[in-house]
Amino acid sequence: MSRPSFAEILDALRSGKATRRTLYGLSNLERSQAEEVWTVWARLPAATRRKMAQMMVEIAESDFEVNFDEVFQQVLEDPDAAVRLAAVEGLWEDDDIRLVPTLARLLRGDPAAEVRAAAAASLGRFMLSGELGKIRPRPHQQAFQALLAACTDEQEDLEVRRRALESLAYSGEEVVANLILAAYRHPDERMRVSAVFAMGRSADNRWAAEVMRELHNPSPQMRYEAARACGELELEDAVPILMELLEDVDPEVQEAAVWALGQIGGDEAREALNACRQSDNEVLRSAARDALRELEFLHGDLGAFLLFDFLEDEEESDEWDEESWDEE
């Protein structure tokens, strides 16, 4: 499929009948071209803009070679909240630090709570980059201050405050630890769930007791986040409980427990994951394979990791042969 010329792309947009082929042509544009697209885009009906923005997000998620970042950066200015939300989501992997002031502005003042929440979540990657010393202090601090203001604003929508807390969790500042503790004591379960998420993301073992306690929580969502947090914190003491969660009534909790065991490692975890590989549940079986690969990569020796990958490839090939034989 040949790529349409830029003039053809603009004509298709003006007509309001842009196809997937047209939208693919918006990939890897120069900034000046993206600005031209925006002048056409802004004149289209809101429903058309929503449809195109969502389709671009879906294309970008399914094709790693596609890059709509320049267009999405323009679309952040769209008057329609649904389009702005799609643009923030579409820029999820864009690490251009010029995005920081734009996202901070959206977090501070966008009229739509869902856009502010998405901006708060999106700033998280810049918090992580700042903590790792990969970006300059100024954009890191700009992200931190915007997130801190949103998280501590009691008049702000709860969803926005949650996402701000989760992004702040990468910071080692004591004020963030205090916010996590306050969120853990919050009367709304949604905030408590975000607190446990943040405990894991913080990579701070001070939260070990709280995280392990929530593995027994009646709420599946809380058990899920607690299991993930145990994996992120690599809590060896959690392995026996995580093994119990492999039989949890909620399949997502089971998968979280599998992932966590792969992160923590050790003989018990390896044995439990090998048992999961024999499960009748295909999703659990696949999750266990991925977790074992991760376990051998993180905690095993290189030879064991390469051997495991070889055996897995052989096993998957055998399964494919058996399925093909059955079809014949």
Side-chain angles (χ1 to χ4, degrees), residues 314-328:
E314 289 290 303
E315 183 177 311
E316 289 170 7
S317 176
D318 289 344
E319 287 178 359
W320 186 87
D321 289 342
E322 288 175 9
E323 290 170 3
S324 300
W325 180 263
D326 289 341
E327 289 174 3
E328 294 176 2

Side-chain angles (χ1 to χ4, degrees), residues 39 41 50 54 61 64 97 119 139 144 163 208 219 227 230 271 278 300 305 323:
T39 63
W41 177 292
R50 286 187 212 115
Q54 191 54 51
E61 288 176 348
F64 70 92
I97 59 171
F144 178 81
R163 302 311 169 202
S219 165
C230 284
E271 184 178 342
Q278 312 306 317
F305 172 69
E323 290 170 3

Side-chain angles (χ1 to χ4, degrees), residues 69-127:
D69 289 354
E70 289 293 345
V71 175
F72 278 136
Q73 287 188 33
Q74 299 294 321
V75 176
L76 286 173
E77 306 302 325
D78 196 285
D80 187 85
V83 178
R84 295 195 303 278
L85 178 60
V88 175
E89 292 173 347
L91 288 166
W92 187 252
E93 293 187 354
D94 189 346
D95 57 3
D96 186 346
I97 59 171
R98 290 176 298 180
L99 266 179
V100 172
T102 302
L103 291 170
R105 173 175 57 79
L106 290 173
L107 175 56
R108 286 193 301 268
D110 196 279
E114 61 269 28
V115 176
R116 298 198 301 277
S122 196
L123 282 169
R125 66 185 180 278
F126 296 104
M127 284 299 305

Side-chain angles (χ1 to χ4, degrees), residues 62-229:
S62 62
D63 189 342
F64 70 92
E65 294 183 348
V66 169
N67 186 322
F68 296 128
D69 289 354
E70 289 293 345
V71 175
F72 278 136
Q73 287 188 33
Q74 299 294 321
V75 176
L76 286 173
E77 306 302 325
D78 196 285
D80 187 85
V83 178
R84 295 195 303 278
L85 178 60
V88 175
E89 292 173 347
L91 288 166
W92 187 252
E93 293 187 354
D94 189 346
D95 57 3
D96 186 346
I97 59 171
R98 290 176 298 180
L99 266 179
V100 172
T102 302
L103 291 170
R105 173 175 57 79
L106 290 173
L107 175 56
R108 286 193 301 268
D110 196 279
E114 61 269 28
V115 176
R116 298 198 301 277
S122 196
L123 282 169
R125 66 185 180 278
F126 296 104
M127 284 299 305
L128 176 59
S129 294
E131 291 297 315
L132 296 176
K134 293 183 177 181
I135 62 174
R136 297 192 300 272
R138 183 176 178 181
H140 179 217
Q141 273 302 306
Q142 191 171 15
F144 178 81
Q145 293 300 331
L147 289 165
L148 185 63
C151 187
T152 55
D153 182 358
E154 295 187 2
Q155 303 305 311
E156 179 58 276
D157 185 271
L158 183 69
E159 193 68 17
V160 179
R161 297 181 67 192
R162 290 180 63 195
R163 302 311 169 202
L165 177 69
E166 292 170 2
S167 289
L168 283 169
Y170 286 121
S171 171
E173 297 287 342
E174 194 62 25
V175 65
V176 175
N178 292 334
L179 288 172
I180 292 174
L181 183 59
Y184 185 60
R185 296 169 175 169
H186 198 278
D188 193 304
E189 183 184 64
R190 292 172 296 170
M191 185 61 89
R192 296 197 299 273
V193 166
S194 284
V196 173
F197 177 97
M199 289 173 183
R201 178 172 274 187
S202 73
D204 188 340
N205 275 20
R206 76 168 75 185
W207 305 114
E210 287 82 0
V211 165
M212 288 182 59
R213 182 184 307 125
E214 299 306 328
L215 292 172
H216 300 288
N217 195 292
S219 165
Q221 189 177 11
M222 184 65 88
R223 294 198 303 279
Y224 173 89
E225 294 298 353
R228 294 280 303 186

